[in-house]
């Protein structure tokens, strides 16, 4: 297919009432079959030559100028069809020319050249002088074989440029594939022109119908939400008719006064813990425990509440990561079943040891995990300042997930530090590791928490509620941060958190 330059020629006949609009008639010319004269070799001349050759690289262009810039010479060097004459314009330059583009600074010279060209009935474009132009060089949007020309009737080239940028970003590159496919279908169709047009219209109607379906679905959602809102208003009206608003307000204030004085700190602990865990793939227990201890929460209540609340927080975090596209489904499938089995085994073993009086069995294994993760944390920080790691082959996903799930239940934590840090040190993308591990964590925590529920029940509900509410508020924000944080930043933050978690465990045991 030949490349084309859009040259809208002035329309001389218009319908009544259209005189205030754009009366240009858009035309696509095969410039490689026409002869073009460009008068001017400076900055503007280079812009005009670049526009011509950008759309029609094989167009024969003759450039005449007293002084020709290096940029014009560079363009001519790569296009042998461009001829340069470094001298003043003479009327003989117009011989056998089809189009003339004038790009000189002197207004009088431009008018003289234009007048000479008009005598020979040649169409003329005068740079930055719309009223002297027979045609304009438009802003062009091109996606393969698709070409769209934009004209503001010579009033605002800047507006045309901005519209070009918008269309260039909005139109997908796949449009060219669609056009090629339709061209192939058209060549295979039998029948006259009318039949081919009708058949192609049927094939492309799905593109419009798809938009219509999406639009109808959107309006159905609006209608559904409106009905739900109306229904809630009716329910609220009946409720407030039998329960006076003042009574509800008094009961709410009385309930609020009965809350733990540290409820706000607990809420903040849940929010910050989930923000750290969701963005970096670990740290829920460390962050929440630090804040709750600072708020004076009983250690026994703190431990049981964190394990209970983490189940809900990890569920919200996993869903948010999935929604924001941070989950690698293949990695998730490789981790979830071994992780759940490891968590169940760890919880069962800990429960049996507790019955035998060995309630601190997990304390003996946690320092070993902490030393391992501390080394990984240092390695992560080191890798952050190196060139991006190539993805290394790693086949033991099942063993890693089982190991992490077991010690998360048996040792009181470690799923994130063990699984997340190991996978990242193997060169996998932090974003997809954090997202996949966070989603898997919900199922691992659920399996672990089920055992703790049967043994301990639900205690210290205010701490649990505060952690859950704070975690639910932070989960979407944390998932979004996981996809936006630069690689170096996320690795440094993750490495520091892993080292702090590891040192804290070691110090606490020793």
């Amino acid at each position: 297919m030949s490349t084309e330059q859009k040259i809208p020629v002035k329309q001389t006949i218009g319908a009544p009432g259209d005189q205030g609009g754009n009366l240009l008639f858009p035309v696509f010319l095969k410039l490689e079959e026409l002869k073009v004269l460009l008068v001017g070799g400076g900055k503007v001349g280079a812009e005009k030559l670049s526009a011509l050759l950008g759309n029609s690289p094989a167009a024969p262009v003759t450039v005449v100028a007293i002084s020709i810039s290096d940029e014009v010479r560079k363009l001519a060097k790569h296009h042998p069809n461009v001829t340069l004459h470094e001298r003043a314009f003479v009327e003989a330059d117009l011989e056998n020319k089809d189009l003339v583009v004038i790009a000189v600074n002197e207004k009088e010279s431009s008018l003289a050249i234009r007048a000479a060209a008009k005598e020979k009935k040649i169409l003329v474009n005068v740079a930055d002088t719309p009223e002297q132009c027979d045609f304009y060089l438009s802003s062009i949007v091109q996606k393969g074989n698709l070409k769209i020309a934009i004209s503001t009737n010579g009033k605002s080239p800047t507006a045309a440029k901005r519209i070009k940028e918008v269309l260039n970003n909005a139109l997908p590159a796949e449009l060219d594939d669609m056009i090629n496919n339709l061209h192939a279908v058209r060549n295979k169709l039998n029948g006259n022109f009318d039949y081919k047009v009708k058949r192609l219209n049927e094939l492309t109607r799905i593109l419009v119908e798809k938009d219509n379906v999406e639009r109808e679905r959107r309006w159905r959602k609006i209608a559904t939400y409106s009905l739900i809102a109306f229904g809630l208003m009716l329910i609220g009206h009946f409720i407030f008719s039998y329960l006076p608003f003042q009574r509800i307000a008094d009961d709410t204030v009385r309930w609020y006064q009965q809350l733990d004085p540290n409820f706000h700190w607990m809420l903040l602990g849940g929010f910050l813990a989930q923000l750290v865990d969701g963005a970096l793939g670990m740290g829920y227990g460390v962050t929440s425990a630090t804040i709750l201890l600072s708020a004076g929460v009983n250690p026994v209540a703190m431990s049981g509440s964190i394990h209970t609340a983490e189940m809900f927080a990890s569920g919200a975090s996993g869903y948010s990561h999935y929604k924001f596209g941070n989950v690698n489904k293949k990695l998730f499938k490789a981790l979830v079943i071994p992780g759940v089995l490891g968590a169940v085994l760890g919880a069962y073993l800990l429960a049996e040891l507790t019955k035998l009086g060995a309630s601190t069995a997990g304390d003996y294994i946690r320092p070993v995990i902490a030393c391992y993760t501390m080394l990984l944390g240092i390695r992560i920080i080191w890798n952050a300042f190196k060139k991006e790691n190539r993805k290394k082959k790693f086949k033991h996903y099942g063993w890693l997930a089982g190991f992490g799930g077991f010690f998360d239940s048996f040792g009181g934590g470690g799923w994130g530090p063990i699984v997340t840090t190991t996978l990242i040190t193997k060169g996998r993308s932090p974003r997809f590791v954090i997202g996949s591990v966070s989603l898997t964590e919900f199922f691992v925590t659920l399996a672990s928490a089920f055992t703790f529920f049967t043994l301990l029940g639900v205690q210290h509900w205010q701490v649990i509620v505060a952690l859950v509410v704070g975690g639910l508020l932070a989960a979407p924000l944390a998932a979004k941060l996981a996809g936006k944080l630069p690689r170096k930043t996320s690795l440094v933050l993750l490495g520091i958190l892993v080292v702090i978690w590891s040192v804290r465990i070691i110090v606490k045991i020793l």
Side-chain angles (χ1 to χ4, degrees), residues 307 335-351 398-412 415 440-452:
H307 277 89
L335 296 176
V336 63
I337 294 178
V340 167
L341 293 177
V344 171
L345 179 61
Y348 174 78
L349 182 59
L350 182 61
W399 286 104
L400 176 65
F403 184 77
F406 176 84
F407 287 112
D408 190 67
S409 294
F410 188 79
W415 169 259
T440 311
E441 185 179 14
F442 166 72
F443 298 95
V444 173
T445 307
L446 180 63
S448 179
F450 182 79
T451 303
F452 291 125

Side-chain angles (χ1 to χ4, degrees), residues 340-392:
V340 167
L341 293 177
V344 171
L345 179 61
Y348 174 78
L349 182 59
L350 182 61
E352 291 299 317
L353 290 175
T354 301
K355 292 178 183 178
L356 298 175
S359 58
T360 59
D363 292 341
Y364 294 102
I365 203 68
R366 294 184 75 190
V368 178
I369 303 174
C371 292
Y372 168 73
T373 54
M374 184 172 65
L375 294 175
L376 289 179
I378 295 172
R379 186 177 176 183
I380 288 175
I381 297 174
W382 173 262
N383 288 339
F385 296 95
K386 293 171 58 180
K387 292 184 179 179
E388 189 168 351
N389 291 344
R390 292 184 178 179
K391 184 177 176 181
K392 300 177 182 178

Side-chain angles (χ1 to χ4, degrees), residues 141-214:
V141 177
Q142 185 165 357
K143 299 287 182 177
N145 292 304
L146 175 66
K147 182 173 287 188
I148 300 173
I150 303 165
S151 170
T152 59
N153 207 11
K155 294 185 180 298
S156 179
T158 300
K161 179 181 178 182
R162 296 304 175 212
I163 295 171
K164 169 188 173 180
E165 292 173 354
V166 171
L167 289 176
N168 210 28
N169 292 328
L171 296 175
E174 290 78 11
L175 279 174
D176 190 46
D177 295 333
M178 182 193 74
I179 292 172
N180 289 329
N181 292 335
L182 288 175
H183 177 69
V185 171
R186 178 187 177 189
N187 291 337
K188 292 180 180 179
L189 291 176
N190 296 321
N192 58 24
F193 177 78
D194 290 338
Y195 170 77
K196 291 182 178 181
V197 171
K198 182 179 178 180
R199 183 61 181 141
L200 289 173
N201 284 338
E202 291 175 355
L203 292 173
T204 55
R205 187 177 293 118
I206 188 174
L207 299 175
V208 180
E209 290 178 349
K210 183 178 180 181
D211 292 338
N212 292 335
V213 169
E214 291 295 331

